[in-house]
């Protein structure tokens, strides 16, 4: 798996007064995807867009648009597996696959 | 009643990249709660010290896409009630035009124990705010120390199972009832497995004319010792066994909002978790009976009050 580069903390001169963070939601730049050992692999074909995985994801790592699942955000997904567990048993559109399976393809 | 399609279009207030553990229940609770907000509503969030606070705001990052205020362990309710009072004054003076809602988040440590006095005060003063307790049943942030929300018999680092005690020796405090006794307009208990119930209740809390309190179950894979994929399943079991009944108290009237089709024995909830493993040894079986008796009494009491109302 590729190593994730983390942005450098700002120097003290550029820190705003009171140390406030001026950019809301900038944790998005911090990639927690490298915590993952198991990757949820989603099948668009099997998916019925019930959105139960989306509503149960702790990391908002399942991207939905106009009421449909569009993609999985692997930069932030920590691989907890809730989505695969919550996917209705008759649908099974999400399978958890070990990250080592992707090592060769992705380097 | 909202649909998932509808709420999936609403803004995501809690950004990804926070450092809560994989499979943590708290960010699921927060995401679902924030989905109860309408798009034209602004929100100010206050956060008591706890897992949620320290993991979503690690400098120089924040996961909050809204106004957010940090304070200490014991005073989330006091801080936010001050913000709400200032907002009312500014609004009266015409200096603020936009509509704001106020939500405080605290864990069970910051709510059941350390922040109880400030919460009680804020509720009694009648501030128009929603206080949400995400209850994971111990001080998970500092390494699973028991709190007054920890259930009877649970193994924690300060109620360790051994020769002397079989886990926590005291039953948990019923905070939802304590808050209901404040006679505030809205009190409810929710779990993220029942997102529809949760979002509907939070909307009612936001629309209430005065303070509202929401107690949300937030399973902790580390502290409860179960596989991280089972977080929502744990909530479902808690609701189906009536360990965590879903109900609301509106102006003093109790209403059970989710009645399980078949009330499962509390064993089903207990055996799924490592923190209760020792209870299944023969000498500790009586504790399971004790827990079952507590759950049954509470459920019967709720049903009776719900029918009266």
């Amino acid at each position: 798996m590729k190593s994730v580069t983390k942005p450098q903390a700002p120097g003290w001169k550029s820190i705003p007064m009171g140390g406030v963070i001026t950019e809301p939601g900038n944790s998005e730049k911090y990639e927690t995807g490298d915590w993952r050992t198991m990757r949820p692999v989603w099948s668009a074909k099997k998916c019925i867009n019930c959105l139960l995985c989306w509503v149960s994801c702790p990391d908002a790592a399942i991207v939905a648009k106009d009421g449909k699942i569009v993609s999985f955000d692997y930069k932030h997904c920590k691989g907890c597996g809730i989505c695969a567990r919550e996917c209705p048993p008759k649908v099974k559109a999400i399978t958890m696959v070990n990250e080592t399976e992707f090592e060769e393809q992705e380097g | 009643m909202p649909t998932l399609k509808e709420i999936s279009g609403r803004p995501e207030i809690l950004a990804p990249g926070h450092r809560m553990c994989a499979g943590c229940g708290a960010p699921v609770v927060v995401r679902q709660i924030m989905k109860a907000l309408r798009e034209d509503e602004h929100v100010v969030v206050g956060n008591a010290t706890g897992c949620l606070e320290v993991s979503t705001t690690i400098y120089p990052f924040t996961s909050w896409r809204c106004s957010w205020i940090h304070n200490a362990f014991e005073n989330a309710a006091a801080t936010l009630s001050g913000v709400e009072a200032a907002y009312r004054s500014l609004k009266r003076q015409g200096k603020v035009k936009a509509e704001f809602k106020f939500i405080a988040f605290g864990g069970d440590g910051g709510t059941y124990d350390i922040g109880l006095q400030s919460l009680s005060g804020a509720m009694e003063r009648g501030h128009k705010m929603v206080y949400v307790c995400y209850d994971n049943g111990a001080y998970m942030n500092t390494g699973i120390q028991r709190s007054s929300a920890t259930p009877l018999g649970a193994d924690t680092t300060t109620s360790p199972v051994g020769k002397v005690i079989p886990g926590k020796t005291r039953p948990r405090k019923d905070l939802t009832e304590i808050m209901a006794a404040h006679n505030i307009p809205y009190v409810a208990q929710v779990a993220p497995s029942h997102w529809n119930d949760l979002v509907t209740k939070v909307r009612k809390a936001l629309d209430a004319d005065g303070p509202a309190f929401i107690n949300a179950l937030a399973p902790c894979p580390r502290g409860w010792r179960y596989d991280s994929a089972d977080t929502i399943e744990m909530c479902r079991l808690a609701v189906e066994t009536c360990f965590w009944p879903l109900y609301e108290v509106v102006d003093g009237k109790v209403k059970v909002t989710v009645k399980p089709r078949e009330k499962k024995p509390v064993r089903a909830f207990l055996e799924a978790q490592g923190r209760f493993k020792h209870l299944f040894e023969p000498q500790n079986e009586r504790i399971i009976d004790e827990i079952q008796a507590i759950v049954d009494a509470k459920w019967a009491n709720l049903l009776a009050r719900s029918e009266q109302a």
Side-chain angles (χ1 to χ4, degrees), chain B residues 129-130 186 200-208 210-214:
Chain B
M129 59 182 270
V130 181
Y186 195 77
T200 310
K201 281 175 179 165
V202 175
R203 193 61 245 172
K204 283 187 195 170
L206 289 166
D207 290 335
F213 176 81
I214 304 257

Side-chain angles (χ1 to χ4, degrees), chain A residues 14-59:
Chain A
S14 57
I15 294 174
M17 212 177 281
V20 292
I21 304 167
T22 52
E23 197 187 342
N26 66 349
S27 71
E28 218 173 349
K29 293 180 193 163
Y30 189 92
E31 297 178 359
T32 48
D34 57 354
W35 295 14
R36 193 174 56 241
T37 53
M38 298 294 277
R39 179 187 299 194
V41 177
W42 168 69
S43 154
K45 224 167 117 189
K46 287 187 190 168
C47 181
I48 56 165
N49 291 302
C50 65
L51 298 174
L52 286 174
C53 58
W54 170 86
V55 81
S56 311
C57 177
D59 295 286

Side-chain angles (χ1 to χ4, degrees), chain A residues 7-10 15-16 19-21 23-32 35 50-62 64-68 73 76 78-82 85-86, chain B residues 4-10 12-25 27-28 31-32 35 56-66 192 195 227-233 236:
Chain A
Q8 192 78 41
I15 294 174
V20 292
I21 304 167
E23 197 187 342
N26 66 349
S27 71
E28 218 173 349
K29 293 180 193 163
Y30 189 92
E31 297 178 359
T32 48
W35 295 14
C50 65
L51 298 174
L52 286 174
C53 58
W54 170 86
V55 81
S56 311
C57 177
D59 295 286
I62 300 171
K65 212 183 161 202
D66 302 322
K68 289 199 163 64
D73 172 6
H76 296 104
K78 293 167 187 162
C80 66
I82 293 179
R85 190 64 53 94
E86 290 309 305
Chain B
L4 271 181
K5 191 179 170 183
E6 211 177 298
I7 65 168
S8 70
R10 294 183 188 165
E12 199 69 64
I13 308 257
L14 188 73
H18 60 73
R19 280 169 261 178
M20 306 291 277
C21 302
C24 175
V28 187
R31 279 189 64 223
Q32 293 187 5
K35 292 290 176 183
T56 56
T57 57
I58 297 176
Y59 198 78
F61 299 104
T62 176
S63 295
W64 297 90
R65 293 182 178 130
C66 60
W195 61 269
D227 178 31
S228 66
D230 290 333
T231 294
I232 304 295
E233 182 60 25
R236 212 172 284 128

Side-chain angles (χ1 to χ4, degrees), chain B residues 10-89:
Chain B
R10 294 183 188 165
E12 199 69 64
I13 308 257
L14 188 73
H18 60 73
R19 280 169 261 178
M20 306 291 277
C21 302
C24 175
V28 187
V29 168
V30 175
R31 279 189 64 223
Q32 293 187 5
I33 283 173
M34 291 313 198
K35 292 290 176 183
L37 288 161
R38 280 193 296 265
E39 265 167 66
D40 58 329
E41 277 173 338
H42 299 272
V43 62
V44 179
V45 170
N47 227 167
T49 304
C51 288
L52 182 69
E53 188 256 347
V54 298
S55 312
T56 56
T57 57
I58 297 176
Y59 198 78
F61 299 104
T62 176
S63 295
W64 297 90
R65 293 182 178 130
C66 60
S67 306
W68 187 87
I69 188 163
H70 163 67
N71 55 98
F73 220 140
E74 70 287 0
N75 57 351
T79 306
L80 207 69
S81 67
V83 178
E84 191 265 351
Y87 163 74
R88 262 188 292 131
S89 166

Side-chain angles (χ1 to χ4, degrees), chain B residues 166-186:
Chain B
K168 197 187 171 199
T169 51
R170 299 281 308 148
R172 59 196 301 281
K173 190 195 269 180
D174 194 344
L175 183 68
T176 313
E177 290 297 329
I178 297 174
M179 296 323 293
H182 282 68
N183 293 323
I184 53 176
Y186 195 77

Side-chain angles (χ1 to χ4, degrees), chain B residues 127-183:
Chain B
H127 295 279
K128 205 166 176 301
M129 59 182 270
V130 181
Y131 190 103
V132 180
C133 169
Y134 67 96
D135 181 353
N136 51 26
Y139 290 83
M140 300 307 184
N141 181 31
T142 45
I144 322 166
Q145 287 83 20
R146 62 91 96 185
S147 75
S148 56
T150 307
L152 176 69
D155 179 29
T156 70
T157 50
T158 46
S159 61
V161 174
K163 282 179 196 149
V164 184
I165 53 162
K168 197 187 171 199
T169 51
R170 299 281 308 148
R172 59 196 301 281
K173 190 195 269 180
D174 194 344
L175 183 68
T176 313
E177 290 297 329
I178 297 174
M179 296 323 293
H182 282 68
N183 293 323

